[in-house]
Amino acid sequence: MDHSDPQHPGDRDISLCRLVGSGLSAEDVAAMLDVPVSAISPVWHRPDWLDCCDAPTLRALMATFDPVAQHVVRRLGRRRLDRSWDRAQQVGLAVNDAALPLLRETVGNSAIAAVIDAAVHLRQGRFPEAYRWLGQCWGVRGDVVVDALLDCGPARLFLDCDSVVTAAAAAVHAGRPESGEMTDVVGHSILVHKGIRNGWLDVATPLSAEGIDPFEFRSRVIGTLFSTEDADLVKFYGSRVAAQPDLARSEVLSLSTFSGDLGVAAAWGSPSAIPALERTATDVLSDLGTRADAYVYYLLEVAIPQLLRTDPTFGGRAAALWSRLCAIRHRDSLTMRTRSAADLLATRLRDDSIERLL
């Protein structure tokens, strides 16, 4: 079944000679790739060349010609989406056609396919498999399509969104992943966070992190913070982060993996491998200017201090952070508590910078 967008040329079959372009012949390309002409000539003008090209030649073409590589990635993503779409239909899930164009433009076919596969497994009660697919969607871009999966508004991914949400709640109540694999933990925690945040999961504010993976504990806290706007929860969570090194580390890794400075596997598999937090800093600066009061307070009290301990340069954006903090101090839409926290953090950042210069 083909669900390609006719307005997206990258989703149509394009001949190899058109992709390579530049007036090159099949013989020229074969010579450039150091492959027999017989590997290129039979597929040179065929729009379905990708189905006929042998693997070594395809790898050489992708390594040499960027348009070929981009086309292959799009085509493979589209094929994966088609297969996922068909599986969804087999379990009675109808995809919302109106939501797809924007999702495809924002996150791409592969991310949509991963979430559709997660939904299929949720409907079938195969919760570990669903966690695994959802865990691959952790991040700024993936979060968009996860929201589409679990949000039953006009932008919902499935027309029958309620059945997916019901299955997601059942997955959470069924218990935590037994595998211990971080991708599974992340996938399960995504459902916990979204369920609390969106109100379809009734989970009390946690009073202890004991027995809960640090990543899930944070997911519960932040979900509750979004749901309740309870700034006192920030103090509670901050005290736990200050007292428990595993929570402090998970706080940094959660933010840096979500922003894309670090992959999930690398983050939790290599404890010392935390790079400069460039993307994380950019996202945090954006959130400081756009999020509601309680979340901004959390950033000031918990997240940013932990990030600064990991990367004192704040991804090379320490000066921008100081400017943003100064601006927050004068924003009337925020509570006095949040503005005071911004004032204290700005003073600390200034003093630390002066001390490094002395």
Side-chain angles (χ1 to χ4, degrees), residues 206-209 217 234-248:
L207 299 178
S208 172
F217 180 70
V234 174
K235 285 293 188 183
F236 154 75
Y237 179 56
S239 66
R240 294 298 188 273
V241 169
Q244 297 178 235
D246 60 339
L247 283 179

Side-chain angles (χ1 to χ4, degrees), residues 144-212:
V144 174
V145 71
V146 171
D147 278 339
L149 172 70
L150 300 171
D151 180 357
C152 294
R156 65 192 184 279
L157 181 57
F158 293 108
L159 296 176
D160 184 16
C161 178
D162 289 337
S163 68
V164 178
V165 169
T166 299
V172 174
H173 290 304
R176 300 182 181 90
E178 296 180 357
S179 68
E181 294 291 332
M182 199 59 211
T183 302
D184 297 358
V185 172
V186 170
H188 175 265
S189 300
I190 286 173
L191 291 183
V192 171
H193 171 83
K194 297 296 184 183
I196 297 173
R197 180 173 178 174
N198 296 337
W200 49 262
L201 192 63
D202 183 16
V203 179
T205 299
L207 299 178
S208 172
E210 295 179 5
I212 301 178

Side-chain angles (χ1 to χ4, degrees), residues 30-47:
M32 292 173 63
L33 302 181
D34 194 23
V35 300
V37 175
S38 59
I40 301 294
S41 294
V43 299
W44 186 240
H45 293 288
R46 294 182 59 166

Side-chain angles (χ1 to χ4, degrees), residues 182 249 253 262-273:
M182 199 59 211
R249 177 171 172 75
L253 295 184
L262 201 59
V264 169
W268 275 272
S270 304
S272 61

Side-chain angles (χ1 to χ4, degrees), residues 304-314 318-319 321-322 325 343-358:
I304 295 174
Q306 291 299 326
L307 292 173
L308 287 171
R309 289 188 182 96
T310 302
D311 178 8
T313 73
F314 197 63
L321 174 60
W322 186 80
L325 294 174
D343 188 43
L344 288 172
L345 188 55
T347 301
R348 173 191 151 189
L349 193 66
R350 182 198 62 199
D351 292 346
D352 288 348
S353 298
I354 292 174
E355 183 176 338
R356 282 196 297 271
L357 291 174
L358 295 177

Side-chain angles (χ1 to χ4, degrees), residues 25-269:
S25 66
E27 290 75 14
D28 295 331
V29 171
M32 292 173 63
L33 302 181
D34 194 23
V35 300
V37 175
S38 59
I40 301 294
S41 294
V43 299
W44 186 240
H45 293 288
R46 294 182 59 166
D48 62 343
W49 65 273
L50 186 53
D51 297 319
C52 311
C53 192
D54 64 75
T57 302
L58 178 59
R59 285 194 293 269
L61 284 164
M62 292 178 66
T64 306
F65 301 101
D66 286 341
V68 173
Q70 294 166 9
H71 176 76
V72 170
V73 170
R74 284 194 298 264
R75 287 280 293 170
L76 294 179
R78 169 188 152 186
R79 290 179 184 180
R80 182 184 173 194
L81 179 59
D82 287 344
R83 290 193 294 269
S84 299
W85 192 318
D86 290 339
R87 285 192 288 269
Q89 290 182 321
Q90 291 169 11
V91 299
L93 285 172
V95 176
N96 178 15
D97 291 340
L100 277 181
L102 181 59
L103 281 175
R104 295 178 70 179
E105 180 180 339
T106 305
V107 302
N109 290 331
S110 294
I112 300 172
V115 167
I116 291 177
D117 286 338
V120 170
H121 288 303
L122 286 172
R123 281 288 295 266
Q124 293 176 323
R126 298 166 60 89
F127 301 146
E129 290 82 355
Y131 298 150
R132 204 154 297 135
W133 284 115
L134 284 171
Q136 297 178 26
C137 298
W138 174 250
V140 174
R141 286 164 57 85
D143 200 51
V144 174
V145 71
V146 171
D147 278 339
L149 172 70
L150 300 171
D151 180 357
C152 294
R156 65 192 184 279
L157 181 57
F158 293 108
L159 296 176
D160 184 16
C161 178
D162 289 337
S163 68
V164 178
V165 169
T166 299
V172 174
H173 290 304
R176 300 182 181 90
E178 296 180 357
S179 68
E181 294 291 332
M182 199 59 211
T183 302
D184 297 358
V185 172
V186 170
H188 175 265
S189 300
I190 286 173
L191 291 183
V192 171
H193 171 83
K194 297 296 184 183
I196 297 173
R197 180 173 178 174
N198 296 337
W200 49 262
L201 192 63
D202 183 16
V203 179
T205 299
L207 299 178
S208 172
E210 295 179 5
I212 301 178
D213 183 272
F215 187 93
E216 182 187 338
F217 180 70
R218 179 184 181 275
S219 297
R220 288 172 177 261
V221 169
I222 302 303
T224 305
L225 186 65
F226 273 117
S227 176
T228 64
E229 286 291 311
D230 180 8
D232 289 336
L233 178 60
V234 174
K235 285 293 188 183
F236 154 75
Y237 179 56
S239 66
R240 294 298 188 273
V241 169
Q244 297 178 235
D246 60 339
L247 283 179
R249 177 171 172 75
S250 185
E251 176 67 20
V252 173
L253 295 184
S254 297
L255 291 163
S256 60
T257 53
F258 189 79
S259 295
D261 280 319
L262 201 59
V264 169
W268 275 272

